[in-house]
Amino acid sequence: MTIADVIRQLEQLAPPDTAEPWDNVGLQVGDPAAPLSVLLVCLEVTDEVVAEAEKEGAGLIVAHHPLVFRPLAAITTDRPLGRLLTRLLCAGIGVYAAHTNLDAAPEVGTAAVLGRLLELRGGRPLLGEEPGLGLVGEVAETTTVAALAERVGELLAPARLTVVGGGAVRTVALMPGSGGDAVVPAAAAGADVLVCGDLKHHDALEARGLGLAVIDAGHYATERPVVASLAEELRRRLGPDVRVIESGVNTDPFADGAH
Amino acid sequence: MTIADVIRQLEQLAPPDTAEPWDNVGLQVGDPAAPLSVLLVCLEVTDEVVAEAEKEGAGLIVAHHPLVFRPLAAITTDRPLGRLLTRLLCAGIGVYAAHTNLDAAPEVGTAAVLGRLLELRGGRPLLGEEPGLGLVGEVAETTTVAALAERVGELLAPARLTVVGGGAVRTVALMPGSGGDAVVPAAAAGADVLVCGDLKHHDALEARGLGLAVIDAGHYATERPVVASLAEELRRRLGPDVRVIESGVNTDPFADGAH
Amino acid sequence: MTIADVIRQLEQLAPPDTAEPWDNVGLQVGDPAAPLSVLLVCLEVTDEVVAEAEKEGAGLIVAHHPLVFRPLAAITTDRPLGRLLTRLLCAGIGVYAAHTNLDAAPEVGTAAVLGRLLELRGGRPLLGEEPGLGLVGEVAETTTVAALAERVGELLAPARLTVVGGGAVRTVALMPGSGGDAVVPAAAAGADVLVCGDLKHHDALEARGLGLAVIDAGHYATERPVVASLAEELRRRLGPDVRVIESGVNTDPFADGAH
Amino acid sequence: MTIADVIRQLEQLAPPDTAEPWDNVGLQVGDPAAPLSVLLVCLEVTDEVVAEAEKEGAGLIVAHHPLVFRPLAAITTDRPLGRLLTRLLCAGIGVYAAHTNLDAAPEVGTAAVLGRLLELRGGRPLLGEEPGLGLVGEVAETTTVAALAERVGELLAPARLTVVGGGAVRTVALMPGSGGDAVVPAAAAGADVLVCGDLKHHDALEARGLGLAVIDAGHYATERPVVASLAEELRRRLGPDVRVIESGVNTDPFADGAH
Amino acid sequence: MTIADVIRQLEQLAPPDTAEPWDNVGLQVGDPAAPLSVLLVCLEVTDEVVAEAEKEGAGLIVAHHPLVFRPLAAITTDRPLGRLLTRLLCAGIGVYAAHTNLDAAPEVGTAAVLGRLLELRGGRPLLGEEPGLGLVGEVAETTTVAALAERVGELLAPARLTVVGGGAVRTVALMPGSGGDAVVPAAAAGADVLVCGDLKHHDALEARGLGLAVIDAGHYATERPVVASLAEELRRRLGPDVRVIESGVNTDPFADGAH
Amino acid sequence: MTIADVIRQLEQLAPPDTAEPWDNVGLQVGDPAAPLSVLLVCLEVTDEVVAEAEKEGAGLIVAHHPLVFRPLAAITTDRPLGRLLTRLLCAGIGVYAAHTNLDAAPEVGTAAVLGRLLELRGGRPLLGEEPGLGLVGEVAETTTVAALAERVGELLAPARLTVVGGGAVRTVALMPGSGGDAVVPAAAAGADVLVCGDLKHHDALEARGLGLAVIDAGHYATERPVVASLAEELRRRLGPDVRVIESGVNTDPFADGAH
């Protein structure tokens, strides 16, 4: 099995043409013709993740965030990204990014996985038509923002958990990752609460003005469940020839030192 | 004294042409020719702040954040902003916004005031030439990120305080408000730590990669000191004819309910 | 009945998505949930028209020209528009604009109404497909430019009537309002004469070069018939619960003082 | 003397780099090296003007309005412009256009000449710095809009004369030609009245709202005086070798048939 | 028969809406209503070609390259193009350009004609869908780059013939004219060799990197066969009323003086 | 000595801010802090040049053409550029590009070096002010295009030499590399002949129309002399610590196989 074979499976799960126009997804480093026996799934490609890939003998890292986001005019090793690229290229480790196309993927996508975890019903995209970004769904029984926040805390174990507003909850909007800017569409979709990461001051203020509660469980914690889900689906599809590993590195920059 | 007279003073303190090109500053609501006896200074114009202005008999609200940010194609009262505008217009209360021009103001500006509070020396703008946004300066004695974070916590009493990274601190970059995206210029300026608000996951990750510590004390808490400073300067300039009040409303959307 | 109920009827008559892309139509001032018993139809919202609405107890003004055309960065009462908006908002009078979507409306539209008045046959849009702007049709019996101009003068009673060119007329193009720039499409459509308003020197010169006659009966006079037509249709649709008034204010700026 | 020699004089009077960026001025037809003995000055190049040039043996037409305004992708004789160009090229008659650069010219410019005719004092540009478009100046003795309109009628003999508003006049703004869109700058410049051509309905309405009177004496009539003035200055500069003729053709499309 | 009649036939052969968006095709000079008895087909309109048209009494030149490519802001005879246009207009000779629409034409197009000459099979467009630019096809029997280059030399008699790379040839890409920039699509289409004109250094270098051979037979020589082909088809369609001549002028700028 | 030290010298010779806005120059691969003992100067970075650098132990390649021209969204080894970058990064060989800034450099620049070789006098830039692209100068004694072409052939030994036009030569314009598109500025600068590379059909045709002769000696041959000149200047500046090698690889894609 080659990297190209794995890419074919990945592109069925999360078609690249469903990525946002500003995004950069697909094979970013490596040789599609290279044979592959170990594959590592993660959210971010950091130095620790590359070390893990080297230790495990992984020939490909499948990451949620693009390693190369803005096109590069130079690859110089006085910059962190240049060092990472050099290390990967010389070690023969490829990097494949599935970003907003993975966010929007119906079954294994970031929002779909979080929706299953929170047992939401009747899920539909928060933005656009299927496959679209985010998810809106209903809880089985009416609950409260405080109770939902507690449940989110248990399930995701976030480094930080912030709650804005309160009240009864029937309809929930999800926007994992940097989803704090989804306040207006979440309110327009009739949600009682938005579960997201990276909530900013003005978005929180706007949510208060609109009567929408927000649970900010952090970018990392709201995206993290997709790793296991994607790894499992890849194991099912790739069979015994490729060992699929979930990264054990915690790449949440707020994970320690948060007060 | 009229609103126009007050505007003349405000424009000396924070010239409108030093605002960022995307910003919308100046008199946004009201009649420049109206006489003025009470003036309210705040960060945000919310319903509670308008109620305070009405109670105090204020004829003008001087706010940091523009009430009208994107130009309006309609003023309908099914939207929070339409309701606020109608209430202000019918109550005869004006609104003047000094935003990025106040951020950049040398003496009473958001960054300058925070720099004095933290007793930084040799302050210069973080972005651009004087008057520019943010501030870089040196602490009197070398300290640590943890100690500086504690000091920030005592001085600003933020609703949330997040620290990324650690180590010794000699040079400090400040970007009050939504300053988490100043990671790259702060590192380029040789800062050991950035004090800001609204730090997002990817900015935190980039800071870790660059070896820059970040203290996120929140958008509201890092901007709040400018209110007293601006009010005091306006009192000095406007004399006894105008009563200058600092808003007592806490408009931090994270102020309660944070975990 | 609420303003929102009236809007639903208006949007059936002149769907907002048929307006030109540069236009600004729809509810521009007011509260869609407000109950409504009196409605005033006019071409322009001026001080006199607002006084008329106040006197008649109208809760909504339906106007052809948008009161807010370019989005507003501020609403200050040192400007005529800021004063008008403040007066309307404080009096609780809404404003709904149907502009190029009303021009293009098949039955009650500006061009359709003028076409019926001039008894043109076989009408089709001058620009674009149905619903498009303007109208081209045939007179029942071949006439002359001079005779048609006389008939236009009798029917519309314009403040100024200007005729460029002459000759026999079989096919007539209409572009009510500021339609003097429709000379080239009118000639291309095979029209013998264009009836319009706001004809400028270079457009007149181009018409002469193309052998097209033009009757400029003025912006106001060519649009004015739409008021009665729209009012009548609204009466039919809204029933006895809402009193629909046609404005009695002449908002033609050339109405007096023309020589 | 050649056409190039004449161009050198014209470019001293009305430098091409003072034309508006959207304009197309300079030699548009002809051979700069051709010898020249007769030159015709006019506002527009029409069939009648070309016939006049042929009859008079003119080798160059100096026109105010560009014959070629938008660049041409084809020169075909099924269009009026293609026919005119062919006729000029085959007859060896050149065309030189001095348009917004002539409007802005300090001594012989369109606005300057009209200002002298109306005996305005202290003239300065209405738009921009010297050399700028239009003119603002004071009348020798305070007059009224009606009296000024009568004087304009006597001096310019326009085909149509329209007056909007009234009152006392001390400061007059001039924008000859299509100057009806100068209402806002004229009011901002403190003018009591604007003298212009091509006034449109919405500009007239805006003038009423701003308390500015407008005298629309027509595009042609407000520009016409520049022809004699430019011809005279060219005679002075070119000496006896070139005969300079002022066109006797009336190119006002409203000149006959106006009611 | 008129020029318009000929244009109808030309537009069936090479529809103008299949030209590239940046192109300028169609009747560029002349009168569509003019009667026509002699027609000259060529690649370029030069002084020699106009002289030939005059001598032959041709009323229309059908050229591959547009005489007017960028729209003209002036037609002055101090420039070669102004002189050519004047000469054509005064002689009553029209010019019709069929450029990228002729390149893409399925039967008489530049690439199709060259493909027939080289006896390629299974031709399909190199760029885009049918009708698209260039052609890819297979040789009847596998050959070599050197042998194909020799055959191209015999068939086209180019002023210069340059070969980059070598090896076996089964699939050939053609891009007559300035086709040296088709290296990447030719390699992507699986071609062994590209036959083109105007090959530049960096394109040649890229071809070497991609393992693609290139035979540059020159812009003129690769386009020249279309003249006879188009003339023949026009003769067939126009019948005996119009004499269709192929230009005998060699407009290859490299034709003499090449070393 | 480090790569950064060498870059400081290179930036004095050819300041990066004199490069064209569309260009991509500077350190494109490598670590500025790496120590350096061998440096290779060349025009292009090809596989053969990298092999040469490896064999010679070069730590830096200074190339005229940027290896990375358009920014890269991925570095995958199924593409030639991805393979080259991987090879360079893993071998620890840096790449520095001095392109249009080297073309414009006054002493060691591409045009300046060619001008000295051809013994031109009074050289000034062909495009823009000093430092600008290309060069215009005079020959010591009037010569002919044919004689100059012969001299160019002897000095540069080009793979192909093409001459368009002829006649006497006093003023010569140079545009080494892809300079065939400099025909219009060369004629405007009063040159009798342009010496360049990559001359295309339409540029040659335009040169004939303008009466400008052109000697196309090829992209590679007209640029090649800069290698020795730059290497010599670097030797002088860097002293004995760094061995500066001129590449012995001929990267002219037309070098063999040209007919």
Side-chain angles (χ1 to χ4, degrees):
Chain A
M1 190 166 291
T2 65
I3 286 181
D5 297 326
V6 173
I7 289 175
R8 260 186 297 280
Q9 296 300 322
L10 283 162
E11 299 203 339
Q12 284 177 19
L13 290 169
D17 59 5
T18 62
E20 296 293 301
W22 47 259
D23 207 354
N24 186 24
V25 301
L27 188 70
Q28 302 200 324
V29 174
D31 180 358
L36 187 75
S37 55
V38 184
L39 180 162
L40 180 72
V41 182
C42 67
L43 290 180
E44 303 279 352
V45 183
T46 64
D47 268 310
E48 291 76 15
V49 170
V50 178
E52 188 183 22
E54 288 173 337
K55 197 180 139 212
E56 300 285 352
L60 182 69
I61 298 173
V62 174
H64 183 229
H65 293 124
L67 178 61
V68 177
F69 187 56
R70 299 180 192 284
L72 296 165
I75 304 148
T76 55
T77 57
D78 53 333
R79 297 194 163 193
L81 179 53
R83 280 194 297 273
L84 265 184
L85 286 168
T86 304
R87 186 174 176 183
L88 288 159
L89 287 165
C90 300
I93 301 172
V95 173
Y96 182 94
H99 190 210
T100 49
N101 48 336
L102 183 59
D103 286 333
E107 280 304 309
V108 300
T110 326
V113 168
L114 187 57
R116 278 205 300 278
L117 213 58
L118 294 178
E119 296 173 357
L120 298 187
R121 300 173 178 187
R124 60 268 178 198
L126 175 53
L127 301 181
E129 305 284 301
E130 193 81 58
L133 294 174
L135 183 146
V136 184
E138 278 70 35
V139 288
E141 283 178 54
T142 303
T143 180
T144 64
V145 170
L148 182 65
E150 200 177 322
R151 182 90 185 108
V152 165
E154 288 163 12
L155 288 167
L156 305 184
R160 300 193 300 187
L161 182 66
T162 305
V163 180
V164 173
V169 170
R170 174 104 190 97
T171 301
V172 179
L174 306 180
M175 190 58 98
S178 187
D181 50 8
V183 159
V184 170
D192 302 303
V193 64
L194 168 68
V195 180
C196 66
D198 281 341
L199 179 68
K200 296 176 73 175
H201 171 89
H202 282 294
D203 294 320
L205 215 55
E206 189 152 35
R208 284 195 184 270
L210 292 164
L212 174 77
V214 186
I215 298 171
D216 176 352
H219 192 117
Y220 179 82
T222 54
E223 289 184 344
R224 176 69 205 177
V226 85
V227 171
S229 164
L230 179 60
E232 196 175 308
E233 179 64 21
L234 286 172
R235 271 180 216 117
R236 207 182 58 74
R237 286 171 170 256
L238 300 176
D241 288 357
V242 177
R243 189 162 63 95
V244 177
I245 310 169
E246 300 165 33
S247 172
V249 178
N250 184 344
T251 55
D252 188 350
F254 301 118
D256 47 40
H259 291 200
Chain B
M1 189 165 292
T2 64
I3 286 181
D5 297 327
V6 174
I7 289 176
R8 261 187 297 282
Q9 295 301 322
L10 283 162
E11 298 202 339
Q12 285 177 18
L13 288 169
D17 59 5
T18 62
E20 295 294 302
W22 47 260
D23 208 355
N24 185 24
V25 302
L27 189 69
Q28 302 201 324
V29 175
D31 180 357
L36 187 74
S37 56
V38 184
L39 180 161
L40 180 71
V41 182
C42 66
L43 290 180
E44 303 279 352
V45 182
T46 63
D47 267 310
E48 293 75 17
V49 170
V50 178
E52 187 184 21
E54 287 172 337
K55 196 180 139 212
E56 299 285 353
L60 182 69
I61 299 172
V62 174
H64 183 229
H65 293 124
L67 178 62
V68 178
F69 186 56
R70 298 180 191 283
L72 295 165
I75 304 147
T76 55
T77 56
D78 54 334
R79 296 195 163 192
L81 180 52
R83 281 194 296 273
L84 267 183
L85 286 169
T86 303
R87 186 174 177 181
L88 288 159
L89 287 165
C90 299
I93 301 172
V95 173
Y96 182 93
H99 190 210
T100 49
N101 48 336
L102 182 59
D103 287 332
E107 280 305 308
V108 300
T110 325
V113 168
L114 186 58
R116 277 206 299 278
L117 213 60
L118 294 179
E119 297 173 355
L120 298 187
R121 300 174 177 184
R124 61 270 178 196
L126 175 53
L127 300 181
E129 304 285 300
E130 194 81 59
L133 294 174
L135 183 145
V136 184
E138 277 71 36
V139 290
E141 282 178 54
T142 302
T143 180
T144 63
V145 170
L148 182 65
E150 199 176 324
R151 182 89 185 110
V152 165
E154 288 162 12
L155 287 167
L156 305 183
R160 300 194 300 187
L161 182 65
T162 306
V163 180
V164 172
V169 170
R170 176 103 189 97
T171 301
V172 179
L174 305 180
M175 190 57 97
S178 186
D181 51 8
V183 160
V184 170
D192 301 305
V193 64
L194 167 68
V195 179
C196 67
D198 280 342
L199 178 67
K200 295 175 75 175
H201 171 88
H202 282 295
D203 294 321
L205 214 56
E206 188 152 35
R208 284 195 183 271
L210 292 163
L212 174 78
V214 186
I215 298 171
D216 176 351
H219 192 118
Y220 179 81
T222 53
E223 289 185 344
R224 175 70 203 176
V226 85
V227 171
S229 165
L230 178 61
E232 196 177 307
E233 180 64 21
L234 286 173
R235 274 179 213 118
R236 206 181 59 73
R237 285 170 172 257
L238 299 176
D241 288 357
V242 176
R243 187 160 65 94
V244 177
I245 309 169
E246 300 165 33
S247 172
V249 178
N250 183 342
T251 55
D252 188 350
F254 301 117
D256 47 41
H259 291 204
Chain C
M1 190 166 290
T2 64
I3 286 181
D5 296 327
V6 174
I7 289 176
R8 258 187 298 280
Q9 294 300 322
L10 283 161
E11 300 202 339
Q12 284 178 19
L13 290 169
D17 59 4
T18 62
E20 296 294 300
W22 46 259
D23 207 354
N24 185 25
V25 301
L27 188 69
Q28 301 201 326
V29 174
D31 180 358
L36 186 75
S37 55
V38 183
L39 182 161
L40 181 72
V41 181
C42 65
L43 290 180
E44 302 279 352
V45 183
T46 63
D47 267 311
E48 292 75 17
V49 170
V50 177
E52 188 184 22
E54 288 172 338
K55 195 179 142 215
E56 299 284 355
L60 182 69
I61 298 172
V62 174
H64 184 228
H65 293 124
L67 178 63
V68 178
F69 186 57
R70 297 181 191 283
L72 296 165
I75 303 146
T76 56
T77 56
D78 54 334
R79 299 193 160 194
L81 180 52
R83 280 194 297 273
L84 265 183
L85 286 168
T86 303
R87 186 173 177 183
L88 288 160
L89 288 164
C90 299
I93 301 172
V95 173
Y96 182 93
H99 190 209
T100 49
N101 48 335
L102 183 58
D103 287 331
E107 281 304 309
V108 299
T110 326
V113 168
L114 187 57
R116 277 204 300 277
L117 214 59
L118 294 178
E119 297 173 356
L120 298 187
R121 299 172 178 187
R124 58 272 179 196
L126 175 53
L127 301 180
E129 304 285 302
E130 193 83 58
L133 294 174
L135 183 144
V136 183
E138 278 70 37
V139 288
E141 283 178 52
T142 300
T143 180
T144 64
V145 170
L148 182 65
E150 200 177 323
R151 181 90 184 106
V152 165
E154 288 162 12
L155 288 167
L156 305 183
R160 302 192 298 186
L161 182 66
T162 306
V163 180
V164 172
V169 170
R170 174 107 189 93
T171 301
V172 178
L174 307 180
M175 189 57 99
S178 187
D181 49 8
V183 159
V184 170
D192 301 304
V193 64
L194 168 69
V195 179
C196 67
D198 282 341
L199 179 68
K200 297 176 72 175
H201 171 88
H202 282 293
D203 294 321
L205 215 54
E206 188 152 35
R208 284 196 184 269
L210 291 163
L212 174 78
V214 186
I215 298 171
D216 176 352
H219 191 118
Y220 179 82
T222 54
E223 288 184 345
R224 175 70 204 177
V226 85
V227 170
S229 164
L230 179 60
E232 196 177 307
E233 178 66 20
L234 285 172
R235 272 180 215 116
R236 204 182 59 75
R237 286 171 171 255
L238 299 175
D241 289 357
V242 177
R243 189 160 64 94
V244 177
I245 309 169
E246 299 165 33
S247 173
V249 179
N250 183 342
T251 54
D252 188 350
F254 301 118
D256 48 39
H259 291 201
Chain D
M1 190 166 292
T2 64
I3 287 182
D5 297 327
V6 174
I7 289 177
R8 260 187 298 281
Q9 295 300 323
L10 282 162
E11 299 204 338
Q12 284 176 19
L13 289 169
D17 59 4
T18 62
E20 296 294 300
W22 47 261
D23 208 355
N24 185 25
V25 301
L27 188 69
Q28 301 200 325
V29 174
D31 180 358
L36 187 74
S37 55
V38 184
L39 181 161
L40 180 73
V41 182
C42 66
L43 290 180
E44 304 279 351
V45 182
T46 63
D47 269 311
E48 292 76 16
V49 170
V50 179
E52 187 183 24
E54 287 171 339
K55 196 180 139 212
E56 299 284 354
L60 182 69
I61 299 172
V62 174
H64 184 228
H65 292 125
L67 178 62
V68 178
F69 187 56
R70 297 180 194 285
L72 296 166
I75 303 147
T76 55
T77 55
D78 53 335
R79 299 195 161 191
L81 180 53
R83 281 194 296 272
L84 266 182
L85 286 168
T86 303
R87 185 174 177 182
L88 288 159
L89 287 164
C90 299
I93 300 173
V95 173
Y96 182 94
H99 190 209
T100 49
N101 48 334
L102 182 61
D103 286 331
E107 281 303 311
V108 299
T110 326
V113 168
L114 188 57
R116 278 205 300 278
L117 214 59
L118 294 178
E119 296 173 358
L120 298 186
R121 301 174 176 185
R124 60 272 178 196
L126 175 53
L127 301 181
E129 304 286 301
E130 194 80 62
L133 294 174
L135 183 146
V136 184
E138 277 70 36
V139 289
E141 281 179 54
T142 301
T143 179
T144 63
V145 171
L148 182 64
E150 201 177 320
R151 182 91 185 107
V152 164
E154 289 163 10
L155 288 167
L156 305 184
R160 299 193 301 185
L161 182 66
T162 305
V163 181
V164 172
V169 170
R170 175 106 191 94
T171 301
V172 178
L174 306 180
M175 189 59 98
S178 187
D181 52 7
V183 160
V184 170
D192 302 305
V193 65
L194 168 68
V195 180
C196 66
D198 281 341
L199 179 68
K200 296 176 73 175
H201 171 89
H202 282 294
D203 294 322
L205 215 55
E206 189 152 35
R208 284 196 183 269
L210 292 163
L212 174 78
V214 186
I215 299 170
D216 176 352
H219 192 117
Y220 179 82
T222 53
E223 288 184 346
R224 175 70 204 174
V226 85
V227 170
S229 164
L230 179 60
E232 195 177 307
E233 179 65 21
L234 285 172
R235 274 179 214 117
R236 205 182 59 73
R237 286 172 171 253
L238 299 176
D241 289 356
V242 177
R243 187 160 65 95
V244 177
I245 309 169
E246 299 166 33
S247 172
V249 177
N250 183 344
T251 55
D252 188 350
F254 301 116
D256 47 41
H259 292 201
Chain E
M1 190 166 293
T2 65
I3 287 182
D5 296 326
V6 174
I7 289 176
R8 259 187 299 282
Q9 296 300 323
L10 283 162
E11 299 203 339
Q12 283 177 19
L13 289 169
D17 60 3
T18 62
E20 296 294 300
W22 47 259
D23 208 355
N24 185 25
V25 301
L27 188 70
Q28 302 200 326
V29 173
D31 181 358
L36 187 74
S37 56
V38 184
L39 181 161
L40 180 73
V41 182
C42 66
L43 290 179
E44 304 278 352
V45 182
T46 63
D47 268 311
E48 291 76 18
V49 171
V50 178
E52 187 183 22
E54 288 172 338
K55 197 181 139 214
E56 300 283 354
L60 182 69
I61 298 173
V62 174
H64 184 229
H65 292 125
L67 178 62
V68 177
F69 186 57
R70 298 180 192 284
L72 295 166
I75 303 146
T76 55
T77 56
D78 53 335
R79 298 194 163 193
L81 179 53
R83 280 194 298 273
L84 265 183
L85 286 168
T86 304
R87 185 175 178 183
L88 288 158
L89 288 164
C90 300
I93 300 172
V95 173
Y96 183 93
H99 190 210
T100 50
N101 49 334
L102 182 59
D103 286 331
E107 282 304 309
V108 299
T110 325
V113 168
L114 187 57
R116 276 205 301 277
L117 213 59
L118 294 178
E119 297 172 356
L120 298 187
R121 302 175 176 183
R124 59 269 179 197
L126 175 53
L127 301 180
E129 304 286 303
E130 193 81 58
L133 294 173
L135 183 145
V136 183
E138 277 70 36
V139 289
E141 282 178 53
T142 302
T143 179
T144 63
V145 171
L148 182 65
E150 200 177 322
R151 182 91 185 107
V152 165
E154 288 163 13
L155 288 166
L156 306 183
R160 300 193 298 186
L161 181 65
T162 306
V163 180
V164 172
V169 170
R170 175 105 191 95
T171 301
V172 179
L174 306 180
M175 189 58 100
S178 187
D181 51 8
V183 160
V184 171
D192 301 304
V193 64
L194 168 68
V195 180
C196 66
D198 281 341
L199 179 68
K200 296 176 74 175
H201 171 88
H202 282 295
D203 294 321
L205 215 54
E206 190 153 33
R208 285 196 182 270
L210 291 163
L212 175 78
V214 186
I215 299 171
D216 177 351
H219 191 118
Y220 179 82
T222 53
E223 289 185 343
R224 175 68 204 178
V226 86
V227 170
S229 164
L230 179 59
E232 195 176 308
E233 178 65 22
L234 286 173
R235 272 179 216 119
R236 205 181 60 74
R237 287 170 171 255
L238 300 175
D241 288 357
V242 176
R243 189 160 63 97
V244 177
I245 309 169
E246 300 165 33
S247 172
V249 178
N250 183 344
T251 55
D252 188 350
F254 301 118
D256 48 38
H259 291 202
Chain F
M1 189 166 294
T2 65
I3 286 182
D5 296 327
V6 174
I7 289 175
R8 260 187 297 280
Q9 296 301 321
L10 283 162
E11 299 203 338
Q12 284 178 18
L13 290 169
D17 59 3
T18 62
E20 296 294 300
W22 47 260
D23 208 355
N24 185 25
V25 301
L27 188 69
Q28 301 200 325
V29 175
D31 180 358
L36 187 74
S37 56
V38 183
L39 181 161
L40 180 73
V41 182
C42 66
L43 289 181
E44 302 279 352
V45 183
T46 63
D47 268 309
E48 293 74 17
V49 171
V50 178
E52 187 183 21
E54 286 172 339
K55 196 181 138 211
E56 299 285 353
L60 183 69
I61 298 172
V62 174
H64 184 229
H65 293 125
L67 178 62
V68 178
F69 186 57
R70 297 180 192 284
L72 296 166
I75 303 146
T76 54
T77 55
D78 53 335
R79 298 194 161 193
L81 179 53
R83 280 193 297 273
L84 266 183
L85 286 168
T86 304
R87 185 174 178 183
L88 287 159
L89 287 164
C90 299
I93 301 172
V95 173
Y96 182 93
H99 190 210
T100 50
N101 48 335
L102 182 59
D103 286 331
E107 281 304 310
V108 299
T110 325
V113 168
L114 187 58
R116 277 205 301 277
L117 214 59
L118 294 178
E119 296 173 358
L120 298 186
R121 300 174 178 185
R124 59 271 178 197
L126 175 53
L127 301 180
E129 304 285 300
E130 193 81 60
L133 293 174
L135 183 146
V136 183
E138 278 70 36
V139 289
E141 283 178 52
T142 301
T143 179
T144 64
V145 171
L148 183 64
E150 198 176 323
R151 181 90 186 108
V152 165
E154 289 163 12
L155 287 167
L156 305 183
R160 301 193 299 186
L161 182 65
T162 306
V163 181
V164 173
V169 170
R170 174 105 190 96
T171 301
V172 179
L174 306 179
M175 190 58 98
S178 186
D181 50 8
V183 160
V184 170
D192 302 303
V193 64
L194 167 68
V195 180
C196 66
D198 280 342
L199 178 68
K200 296 175 74 175
H201 172 88
H202 282 294
D203 294 321
L205 215 55
E206 189 152 34
R208 284 195 183 269
L210 292 163
L212 174 77
V214 186
I215 299 171
D216 177 351
H219 192 118
Y220 179 81
T222 54
E223 288 184 346
R224 176 68 204 179
V226 86
V227 171
S229 164
L230 179 60
E232 194 177 309
E233 178 65 22
L234 285 173
R235 272 179 214 118
R236 205 182 58 75
R237 286 171 171 254
L238 299 176
D241 289 356
V242 176
R243 188 160 66 94
V244 177
I245 310 169
E246 299 165 33
S247 173
V249 179
N250 183 343
T251 55
D252 188 350
F254 302 116
D256 47 40
H259 290 202

